[in-house]
Amino acid sequence: MSETTNSASDSTISDSPDSAVYDSSRLQQVGARPPLLEYLVKLWGARHFVVYDARVRLSVSQDHTILGKVWLVLNPLFFGLTFYLIFGLLLQTNRGIENFTGFIIIGFMMFIYTVRSFNAGAKSIANGRNLIKGFSFPRAAIPLSINLREFMSQLYVLAVMCVLVLLVPPTEHFGPIWLLIIPIFILQTIFNWGLGMLAAPLVHRIPDFGNVLSLSSRVWMYSSGLFYDPSRFTDNPTILAIFHMNPLYQVLEMARGVMLYDTAPPLSQWAMLVVWCLGIWLVGLIVFWFNEESYANEQR
Amino acid sequence: MNSVEPAVVVDDVSMVYNVTSTGAEDEEQIPGVQRIMRRALGRPAIVKNQALTDVRLLIEQKEFVGFIGRNGSGKSTLMNIVAGQMNPTSGRVWAIDKPSKLGVSVSLVPALSGDRNIRLGCLAQGMSPQQVDEVFDELVEIAALGKALHWPMKAYSSGMAARLRFAVATATNPHVLILDEALSTGDAQFQARGQARMEEIRENAGCVMFVSHTMSEIKHMCSRVVWIDAGEVVMDGNTQDVVREYDEYMSMLAAGNLLSAQSFRDEHRAAHRAVELVDLNR
């Protein structure tokens, strides 16, 4: 045996050339993170993928049910009617708030948008694993596509919300001021997108955070004045200021003002929301981009 | 010294996995606070698994390179790293173009139908909707799925999923195509079709990296073969020589001559001299 071994290895010793000169500037490094601007350009290049991914995922999201896409409308409708049933008919409470049913419906429907986007965005790397493993697009396309999907499904929710506010007593009347809902909605979307990009690398690196997500959105719900107006409970300016710093509180307050109370939000409120949304978006983008190379790694 | 136009340069790549282990004897344990913490929480120990050690390869354009080795030798890890799906612990990989890889697990989005998966996969590779429309019919033909094209992908057999993924992966005419046992689940018709398509890509100034356990496939298609064992390159040379030596090694193992197999391997390992890489840009 040993003779054949030696002769075999002797004959194949000179297997490859000793040295090779190459020029790496004519190649690209595999998996390396590009500079931020170039990254954004690449993300723009992935827009067709993002839109198609969001569209088809939304369209199959209810395929396992019998009623299918009807649930996109039925879900918010049932929630809204439940609030009307409990607070409008059974309890007949208003906690000193004009049109309390409308107050809760708008609060809930706007609030769950951020919660849904936040949860889906935070888990986007795990959910997009097959695509990440298969192709090498900029990974920010995944949280973007998930937010776009939530954006599209929120359009149904907003339509239901408007119909409920118009039809469920005490009814409101449509006015041009309602159109201000559109910029509020867009700002909220930018906020959600940034939040998703911020949370996704965190959950990817430390999966334990995935378990804390539902708790944090619960805490957030209570501190956003979903079911109450905090100024009814406290005069303490510090506590009120904390509530007012919460961007979601501002979103709910502005949406209610526009749809229920015919009041356009003051400029200061717009300014604050814009700063929050763009700030979170920018921080989220940078954090997500900075971790770009890590998304390829499997968790243990 | 010869200056070359490489398609792929694997520059001193090493890979160490940290994995949880319920029997942590042979591997090296991670040191420090983390280990104590995990023990206190009753979590399984984390051990280091050296999957690749200082792999150095240069693959030129128009090369068709086969990768052979036993299970767990590090072939798939190397393919994942070259494709950018995994970051090496140290070292770098350069490529002439984004590598396109087709692995064993080939599902895309299980809930989506085949035709939607084809479209999604093409867009994910950066094609525009118009480009997808242009090649779509051709891809459908390559995948040859019949009416299953409109079924959700979770209803596909592994062979059908492999056909679809192959069609998508080759849609952009990639310059670097990596196939990790991707044809093994297909039938004879698909394998013939796949081989023809790979030949086209190679003709197109690309290179193909091909992992297989089927020596007839390797001999039939590859111009060069790399034998990897225990994360190291044991041999790198022309197909006939490497496959012959590898066959001999495997028959020693099969016959139970573990010691002579080991020394046979070690001799080849010692005889192998990795290519000295000189980067003009550094």
Side-chain angles (χ1 to χ4, degrees):
Chain A
M1 185 58 83
S2 66
E3 290 86 9
T4 52
T5 304
N6 286 332
S7 62
S9 57
D10 289 343
S11 68
T12 49
I13 265 180
S14 55
D15 48 13
S16 56
D18 293 342
S19 68
V21 180
Y22 68 101
D23 183 359
S24 67
S25 63
R26 297 171 69 169
L27 303 168
Q28 44 178 293
Q29 194 184 342
V30 171
R33 176 189 66 205
L36 188 55
L37 269 181
E38 196 184 324
Y39 188 70
L40 283 174
V41 171
K42 284 190 168 173
L43 185 59
W44 173 248
R47 65 193 180 280
H48 300 297
F49 164 61
V50 168
V51 171
Y52 189 74
D53 185 55
R55 216 154 47 88
V56 291
R57 276 174 196 263
L58 180 66
S59 79
V60 299
S61 64
Q62 295 290 339
D63 268 7
H64 59 283
T65 60
I66 295 174
L67 293 179
K69 264 164 266 185
V70 183
W71 278 112
L72 293 178
V73 174
L74 283 186
N75 267 332
L77 187 66
F78 285 159
F79 269 113
L81 290 178
T82 308
F83 290 135
Y84 172 61
L85 188 72
I86 295 191
F87 295 105
L89 294 180
L90 288 180
L91 298 178
Q92 300 202 335
T93 172
N94 62 18
R95 301 193 191 176
I97 293 169
E98 189 195 329
N99 191 353
F100 189 56
T101 308
F103 180 91
I104 289 187
I105 288 175
I106 293 176
F108 181 79
M109 306 239 172
M110 299 293 281
F111 183 80
I112 52 166
Y113 177 37
T114 292
V115 168
R116 275 200 334 253
S117 305
F118 176 52
N119 282 326
K123 291 173 182 161
S124 57
I125 300 298
N127 291 335
R129 176 124 308 270
N130 280 346
L131 289 172
I132 289 177
K133 280 184 77 151
F135 309 104
S136 52
F137 50 85
R139 303 316 183 195
I142 294 275
L144 175 57
S145 140
I146 278 174
N147 270 283
L148 188 61
R149 183 191 70 193
E150 295 300 336
F151 174 87
M152 291 188 287
S153 91
Q154 181 69 5
L155 291 175
Y156 294 95
V157 177
L158 289 185
V160 171
M161 180 176 95
C162 292
V163 169
L164 285 175
V165 170
L166 287 171
L167 296 183
V168 170
T171 56
E172 304 287 336
H173 296 289
F174 177 82
I177 194 173
W178 279 36
L179 293 178
L180 285 177
I181 260 306
I182 295 170
I184 297 175
F185 177 45
I186 289 171
L187 283 171
Q188 191 186 6
T189 304
I190 294 172
F191 179 74
N192 296 347
W193 179 17
L195 210 57
M197 287 194 290
L198 194 59
L202 198 67
V203 172
H204 177 68
R205 279 180 184 269
I206 308 170
D208 304 55
F209 276 110
N211 290 320
V212 190
L213 287 182
S214 61
L215 175 72
S216 62
S217 43
R218 195 61 53 89
V219 171
W220 206 358
M221 179 168 92
Y222 292 128
S223 58
S224 297
L226 193 54
F227 292 104
Y228 59 89
D229 177 357
S231 63
R232 309 264 162 196
F233 295 100
T234 177
D235 299 327
N236 187 325
T238 324
I239 293 178
L240 280 179
I242 291 173
F243 268 92
H244 289 178
M245 281 300 291
N246 177 352
L248 264 193
Y249 174 82
Q250 297 293 350
V251 166
L252 303 195
E253 174 124 322
M254 288 161 80
R256 285 161 177 161
V258 164
M259 291 185 68
L260 300 179
Y261 311 127
D262 277 334
T263 44
L267 214 57
S268 63
Q269 217 168 4
W270 285 111
M272 177 172 173
L273 192 60
V274 167
V275 168
W276 256 115
C277 295
L278 294 185
I280 287 284
W281 180 82
L282 195 64
V283 174
L285 176 72
I286 290 173
V287 169
F288 193 92
W289 162 79
F290 188 78
N291 286 287
E292 175 79 359
E293 291 173 16
S294 77
Y295 307 127
N297 296 332
E298 293 272 355
Q299 284 144 24
R300 43 177 173 268
Chain B
M1 294 266 262
N2 51 337
S3 188
V4 288
E5 288 298 326
V8 174
V9 176
V10 178
D11 186 3
D12 257 328
V13 163
S14 293
M15 183 72 197
V16 180
Y17 289 113
N18 289 330
V19 289
T20 57
S21 168
T22 47
E25 291 87 28
D26 20 338
E27 313 278 356
E28 187 192 343
Q29 289 224 4
I30 54 152
V33 182
Q34 205 189 351
R35 193 183 73 213
I36 297 165
M37 284 278 290
R38 289 185 74 85
R39 192 167 288 171
L41 287 168
R43 307 281 300 129
I46 293 180
V47 297
K48 286 179 187 293
N49 174 16
Q50 181 89 32
L52 288 176
T53 313
D54 298 332
V55 173
R56 230 183 295 153
L57 290 171
L58 187 142
I59 296 170
E60 286 179 57
Q61 291 170 21
K62 297 208 176 195
E63 269 196 301
F64 204 130
V65 186
F67 287 82
I68 57 177
R70 295 183 294 164
N71 293 130
S73 55
K75 303 184 298 290
S76 290
T77 300
L78 181 61
M79 296 305 124
N80 284 334
I81 289 173
V82 172
Q85 291 166 9
M86 205 180 262
N87 297 304
T89 313
S90 66
R92 281 181 305 182
V93 175
W94 302 92
I96 194 167
D97 188 16
K98 262 188 221 162
S100 179
K101 175 176 169 268
L102 191 49
V104 201
S105 63
V106 284
S107 66
L108 282 175
V109 183
L112 292 187
S113 61
D115 51 345
R116 284 173 155 181
N117 263 308
I118 291 180
R119 194 168 284 274
L120 185 67
C122 288
L123 293 173
Q125 295 175 99
M127 292 169 80
S128 72
Q130 293 79 14
Q131 286 171 318
V132 179
D133 288 338
E134 278 164 26
V135 297
F136 191 77
D137 291 338
E138 193 191 330
L139 296 186
V140 166
E141 201 182 311
I142 292 173
L145 291 164
K147 61 185 182 217
L149 181 68
H150 305 290
W151 300 351
M153 210 165 161
K154 60 189 167 202
Y156 280 24
S157 73
S158 51
M160 287 156 79
R163 282 161 181 257
L164 187 143
R165 274 294 275 118
F166 184 81
V168 171
T170 57
T172 50
N173 289 316
H175 284 105
V176 180
L177 180 64
I178 301 169
L179 294 168
D180 188 356
E181 295 180 54
L183 300 186
S184 56
T185 49
D187 51 27
Q189 179 212 11
F190 172 57
Q191 293 193 349
R193 203 184 287 237
Q195 289 176 7
R197 186 81 182 93
M198 285 190 282
E199 199 51 46
E200 268 176 52
I201 284 168
R202 197 185 65 80
E203 289 295 317
N204 226 349
C207 78
V208 182
M209 298 170 75
F210 184 73
V211 175
S212 177
H213 288 286
T214 318
M215 288 307 133
S216 58
E217 261 183 357
I218 295 270
K219 276 191 215 163
H220 178 63
M221 297 164 68
C222 302
S223 52
R224 168 183 167 194
V225 172
V226 177
W227 168 14
I228 294 180
D229 197 81
E232 294 178 312
V233 176
V234 177
M235 259 183 108
D236 177 357
N238 76 61
T239 305
Q240 272 206 321
D241 292 344
V242 180
V243 170
R244 187 185 62 231
E245 299 303 302
Y246 180 69
D247 272 342
E248 188 168 345
Y249 172 64
M250 289 309 275
S251 55
M252 283 181 195
L253 284 180
N257 302 329
L258 299 185
L259 284 179
S260 54
Q262 178 73 31
S263 65
F264 180 78
R265 186 207 91 107
D266 289 345
E267 269 178 53
H268 277 296
R269 171 78 193 88
H272 170 70
R273 276 177 300 148
V275 59
E276 206 64 52
L277 295 173
V278 182
D279 185 353
L280 289 176
N281 194 37
R282 217 184 310 171

